Amino acid sequence: MKIDILDNITGFGKKDWTTSWVLLWFVCGFIALFTGFWTTTAHTHLDWFYFVISIIGLVCVVSLSFRKNITGNGLGMVATAGEVIVQGTSGAVGLMLAPLFNFFTHVYGVKYWSNHTGADGDMIPKSAGKYVWLITICFIVLGLLLFPTVNTWLANMSYVVVENDGSRFLGRIDFFWINVLAFVLSITAQTMMILRYSLNWWLWIVVNAVWLIINLMTGNTIFAIQTVIYQINAFVGLYGWHRSEQLARLQSP
């Protein structure tokens, strides 16, 4: 299904609104991050470092949605390496796992994406058949089943990833399991993205929805706003990747 405004934003339409869209999206994200940084931190050197890494993250995610290899995976390596440092220096050693995993996926992505680019230099995504969807679902289910055991093991070594404080969403769903779901889905989505499967954006849309719940439950209003901004980017990424995939199929002999 073609949507004219999204075609223009993603560079497939009669008008090229790509630059205008990226600038608008980035400015909104920057304002949300800076407001959160300025109003909720003590402005220490570590706080400034995390803020800079967050800005790099903004450029990274929008570049990934537009299939840019170097700015996407390259800056992804910088952002995730910075997140590992931030989590480690703040004592949240368990939370180093996800960005550490993502760092190595970006390292792999730099080479892998470069071998699958079109004439414009942008990565060409591929569709996922039923087999890939089944593998992805099995990976998520397995992750959800194993995560509590892994989390307990890390907790015994003082490296807990998610604290189980007994809080619940709408009085029914444990906050612990919401965090677990976000953790497992984000790693799965990251893997699918690096492997060039368009389905990754469906997963990121779910991940952002889950993280929005987490941010609202913890009263993190600024990052809840940032999550909404990321969600908009995910929808644009989903459309752009699918359009690129469709055009590549039409042009193939």
Side-chain angles (χ1 to χ4, degrees):
M1 179 178 65
K2 288 184 58 177
I3 302 176
D4 288 341
I5 187 171
L6 289 179
D7 268 348
N8 293 334
I9 287 174
T10 54
F12 297 109
K14 296 179 181 179
K15 300 178 181 178
D16 188 359
W17 295 348
T18 302
T19 301
S20 299
W21 164 256
V22 171
L23 288 175
L24 175 63
W25 184 90
F26 178 81
V27 168
C28 291
F30 182 90
I31 292 173
L33 282 173
F34 184 78
T35 303
F37 161 75
W38 198 255
T39 59
T40 63
T41 73
H43 310 157
T44 64
H45 291 303
L46 186 60
D47 292 329
W48 275 106
F49 178 75
Y50 186 69
F51 173 68
V52 171
I53 291 299
S54 299
I55 296 302
I56 294 174
L58 277 182
V59 182
C60 166
V61 296
V62 75
S63 298
L64 290 170
S65 70
F66 281 88
R67 301 169 286 108
K68 306 296 183 182
N69 186 20
I70 301 303
T71 51
N73 285 307
L75 289 180
M77 292 163 59
V78 177
T80 51
E83 290 173 17
V84 170
I85 295 173
V86 169
Q87 298 295 352
T89 53
S90 63
V93 182
L95 292 178
M96 294 169 59
L97 293 177
L100 187 62
F101 171 85
N102 291 341
F103 173 82
F104 287 108
T105 62
H106 284 303
V107 172
Y108 175 76
V110 169
K111 176 63 177 176
Y112 181 60
W113 281 28
S114 66
N115 294 330
H116 300 278
T117 58
D120 56 2
D122 296 338
M123 182 274 292
I124 302 174
K126 56 183 178 181
S127 60
K130 294 180 180 179
Y131 180 73
V132 175
W133 273 101
L134 181 61
I135 292 293
T136 303
I137 293 172
C138 289
F139 186 84
I140 293 172
V141 172
L142 182 62
L144 292 174
L145 292 175
L146 291 179
F147 190 91
T149 301
V150 174
N151 193 64
T152 300
W153 176 66
L154 290 171
N156 292 334
M157 297 188 297
S158 300
Y159 296 156
V160 63
V161 178
V162 180
E163 294 282 358
N164 190 354
D165 62 1
S167 58
R168 297 189 168 209
F169 176 61
L170 299 178
R172 294 178 179 275
I173 306 173
D174 286 344
F175 186 59
F176 171 80
W177 281 106
I178 296 176
N179 276 278
V180 170
L181 181 63
F183 189 90
V184 172
L185 284 177
S186 62
I187 287 179
T188 308
Q190 175 72 14
T191 303
M192 292 298 100
M193 172 182 286
I194 297 303
L195 293 179
R196 301 189 298 118
Y197 287 112
S198 298
L199 73 87
N200 86 88
W201 291 108
W202 289 109
L203 295 177
W204 281 121
I205 288 169
V206 177
V207 171
N208 288 330
V210 175
W211 275 115
L212 179 60
I213 293 174
I214 292 173
N215 287 325
L216 291 175
M217 286 185 69
T218 57
N220 196 339
T221 306
I222 298 302
F223 279 91
I225 296 172
Q226 184 199 46
T227 303
V228 174
I229 294 172
Y230 272 33
Q231 188 72 302
I232 295 171
N233 181 67
F235 279 108
V236 172
L238 174 66
Y239 185 86
W241 278 45
H242 277 296
R243 287 287 285 131
S244 176
E245 172 195 320
Q246 290 170 357
L247 290 176
R249 284 203 303 267
L250 291 174
Q251 295 170 1
S252 61

